[in-house]
Amino acid sequence: LLSLGTVDAQLSAGGLRRPAVRLVRDGEVLDPALWTRSARTGRERVHDLVHPGRALCLFAEGATVVLQSLHRWWEPLARFCRTLEVELGHAVQANAYLTPGSSTGFTPHHDTHDVFVLQLHGTKCWTVREPLVTDPLPRHRSDHARAAEQPVAMEVQLEPGDCLYLPRGWIHSAATGTGASLHLTIGVLVTTVHDVLRRLVDLAAEEPRFRRTVRPDRAQLGEIVAELSAWLERVEGLAGLDEALAPVLHGPPRRAPLLRGVLSDLAAIDELDDRTVLVRRDGVGAPTPVGEGVLGLDLGDRRLELPARLGPALELLLDGAPHALCELPGLADPGSRAVLGRRLLREGVVETVRGA
């Protein structure tokens, strides 16, 4: 998923920008002015480029280098996190922490999401303490002084290949030994009951009675609660309920397909013919009806709409197995099959199977 050599290459190349990188020392985030630079790109100047020399010097002096949101820009972790999202039904993110020897990064704190710690290089000693807040939400920020006083639940040294699970709310801190340490944190951004309740209250705004002006009288609180309770008892039959709750009850967010290889496919798209073998890209689902005579393909960041008469061909082409264009049913001539193949290649729905 990630290695020390990969991190070395990314940092030293000089192309990383904030906020993909953070530096932390003794629990304090270091001022980006200490480790970034400006440079010209075309006619524009950018001011948040990581300065490799300064960043690595600060690392040598005890700073932890944090690579953030790797699930967005490092393909092996993007694929790994998407697989986890399907398995867990919640959104997943990935950060990496490179800490020099005999150093600590963050002071005792809790996270408001579940975390899997994957040790990649070196060792790291973790101290896990009992929670101050059960199942905290983002509003429940860590009180570092109180967190450090909580009873210790476990102390463990992680070796390369080890995994530590930290449910949200459990207080943790870590320190390296004599050598540098690299670990990943896989954050599971769980959907909570509170998330569902917030969506329901937003839906209640469609009811005129819940938009009326309140009187400056605390006695009406019971009246409002009673009205809300009565409304909630009938909420299952409300129009718009499924749409309102879809973001929190229908699994993790759909992400755009991973597009490695699209450039090569586009460069050779004029060579596509009946012998070309195509396969569905990861993250593309099955077509679904979205209107009269129209099928939709959810591509995460957009929806592709196609004529329903292409249904049999799409069903075969998107079943996860490789297929030559000549196999597609319902399209009588090679020209029609080629038009469909080119459209799906351009949209990142399928990819060419090389050497087939």
Side-chain angles (χ1 to χ4, degrees):
L1 298 178
L2 191 71
S3 69
L4 187 64
T6 299
V7 175
D8 185 359
Q10 292 294 321
L11 281 176
S12 59
L16 287 180
R17 299 175 63 180
R18 293 186 58 245
V21 179
R22 267 193 310 165
L23 266 66
V24 180
R25 184 166 53 199
D26 298 328
E28 298 293 329
V29 177
L30 297 184
D31 184 349
L34 297 174
W35 50 272
T36 59
R37 65 186 179 93
S38 63
R40 183 177 296 280
T41 300
R43 296 183 178 181
E44 304 291 331
R45 290 197 71 83
V46 294
H47 303 280
D48 53 6
L49 278 170
V50 174
H51 189 298
R54 295 175 190 167
L56 292 171
C57 183
L58 288 168
F59 168 76
E61 295 172 357
T64 291
V65 178
V66 185
L67 302 181
Q68 303 191 122
S69 296
L70 284 159
H71 59 287
R72 298 190 186 280
W73 57 272
W74 183 245
E75 187 182 11
L77 277 167
R79 294 187 181 277
F80 180 70
C81 288
R82 289 183 190 208
T83 301
L84 279 181
E85 287 180 335
V86 173
E87 293 291 333
L88 301 177
H90 298 280
V92 173
Q93 66 181 21
N95 295 335
Y97 297 80
L98 175 63
T99 306
S102 305
S103 299
T104 58
F106 294 91
T107 53
H109 67 283
H110 71 252
D111 291 316
T112 57
H113 52 269
D114 291 0
V115 173
F116 291 94
V117 179
L118 307 179
Q119 187 68 26
L120 305 180
H121 176 87
T123 62
K124 204 158 201 177
C125 297
W126 289 80
T127 301
V128 182
R129 300 176 183 271
E130 294 180 6
L132 279 166
V133 181
T134 301
D135 293 335
L137 300 173
R139 67 179 65 180
H140 299 119
R141 302 181 67 84
S142 288
D143 182 326
H144 298 293
R146 292 182 62 204
E149 295 174 353
Q150 284 294 97
V152 173
M154 65 181 293
E155 293 182 310
V156 62
Q157 176 171 287
L158 296 189
E159 308 279 346
D162 288 344
C163 176
L164 172 66
Y165 173 54
L166 295 166
R168 61 191 168 110
W170 284 78
I171 296 162
H172 53 278
S173 56
T176 56
T178 55
S181 164
L182 175 65
H183 75 265
L184 283 171
T185 61
I186 306 298
V188 184
L189 309 178
V190 296
T191 299
T192 67
V193 173
H194 185 257
D195 295 324
V196 177
L197 292 176
R198 288 180 60 185
R199 287 279 176 173
L200 288 174
V201 170
D202 287 343
L203 186 60
E206 300 305 314
E207 290 278 328
R209 57 192 163 131
F210 292 129
R211 302 198 299 265
R212 70 182 187 271
T213 303
V214 297
R215 305 185 304 273
D217 176 9
R218 193 180 186 283
Q220 71 181 313
L221 180 60
E223 173 189 331
I224 294 172
V225 171
E227 285 183 305
L228 180 61
S229 297
W231 178 79
L232 288 171
E233 288 179 358
R234 302 192 305 275
V235 75
E236 283 289 350
L238 288 178
L241 179 64
D242 287 344
E243 182 180 355
L245 295 183
V248 293
L249 292 184
H250 293 174
R254 296 285 298 160
R255 302 194 190 277
L258 297 170
L259 299 180
R260 175 186 284 269
V262 165
L263 184 59
S264 298
D265 284 339
L266 294 179
I269 200 166
D270 291 337
E271 302 171 12
L272 181 144
D273 58 28
D274 252 1
R275 297 167 297 176
T276 302
V277 178
L278 303 176
V279 67
R280 182 193 68 202
R281 284 188 173 273
D282 291 342
V284 177
T288 57
V290 295
E292 185 69 29
V294 178
L295 293 175
L297 280 174
D298 181 7
L299 302 183
D301 57 349
R302 65 196 188 283
R303 185 173 71 187
L304 175 63
E305 295 186 351
L306 296 164
R309 61 181 174 80
L310 298 176
L314 290 171
E315 184 176 349
L316 178 69
L317 198 53
L318 301 181
D319 67 1
H323 296 284
L325 281 179
C326 62
E327 300 175 33
L328 300 186
L331 296 173
D333 62 280
S336 297
R337 293 190 286 269
V339 168
L340 177 60
R342 291 190 186 100
R343 176 74 185 280
L344 297 181
L345 281 172
R346 285 196 298 268
E347 298 286 354
V349 175
V350 297
E351 59 186 315
T352 303
V353 179
R354 309 294 176 188

